[in-house]
Amino acid sequence: MTFNFNMEAGKRRAKTTTMTEGEELIQLRFRIYDGIDIAHGTYEASMTVSTLKQRIIAEWPQGKTVTPKSIHDLKLIHAGKVLDNNKTLADSRITVGDLPLGVITMHVVVQPSKAKQKTEKSKQEMQKLNPCGCIIL
């Protein structure tokens, strides 16, 4: 396995070659809220962000107070931008910083979706506040 750097717009981009010619691999690790790095490994640039989130959930440390339940509870942040689930790593323009060996650290934010909870809760509260109903014929 070799490790090359391509210059693109003043930024270095990690590229490793393996037995399959033209396959682009990126070394990533993910830092969670308490500073622990998880899911360290080499990923294909064609992998989607949602697939990456599934792997992070599978490797989430046991016993943490905050645990994601689905990929929608996670936000991956790279270079100050939240990555879109439908895009690939190549589409997201993952670039290498000044870290040795080109390992990229992404930040993982767990943000459970509260929209459903609020909607269900507000419907119940509305029914309690307005016990009467009107029927228009």
Side-chain angles (χ1 to χ4, degrees), residues 3-57:
F3 197 84
N4 302 319
F5 290 98
N6 293 335
M7 296 302 287
E8 290 183 18
K11 294 184 178 180
R12 292 185 294 170
R13 187 164 192 188
K15 182 177 182 181
T16 60
T17 55
T18 59
M19 292 182 198
T20 308
E21 194 61 36
E23 181 180 342
E24 191 172 349
L25 301 172
I26 303 171
Q27 287 190 15
L28 300 173
R29 66 180 170 199
F30 303 91
R31 185 155 295 156
I32 60 175
Y33 63 92
D34 61 356
I36 293 175
D37 291 340
I38 61 171
H40 185 270
T42 304
Y43 300 89
E44 294 180 13
S46 60
M47 181 181 279
T48 62
V49 174
S50 60
T51 305
L52 203 56
K53 287 180 177 183
Q54 289 172 350
R55 180 161 176 195
I56 291 170
I57 290 172

Side-chain angles (χ1 to χ4, degrees), residues 3 5 10 15 24 26 30 34-35 46 53 70-72 80 86-88 92-93 95-97 99 116 122 125 131:
F3 197 84
F5 290 98
K15 182 177 182 181
E24 191 172 349
I26 303 171
F30 303 91
D34 61 356
S46 60
K53 287 180 177 183
S70 74
I71 63 169
H72 303 291
N86 300 325
K87 291 188 177 182
T88 63
S92 301
R93 299 183 185 201
T95 56
V96 178
L99 296 173
K116 283 186 177 179
S122 64
E125 287 179 4

Side-chain angles (χ1 to χ4, degrees), residues 67-103:
T67 304
K69 292 182 179 33
S70 74
I71 63 169
H72 303 291
D73 294 346
L74 290 179
K75 304 239 184 279
L76 291 182
I77 301 172
H78 174 67
K81 295 181 181 176
V82 177
L83 303 183
D84 185 19
N85 285 345
N86 300 325
K87 291 188 177 182
T88 63
L89 293 175
D91 293 340
S92 301
R93 299 183 185 201
I94 306 302
T95 56
V96 178
D98 295 327
L99 296 173
L101 301 177
V103 178

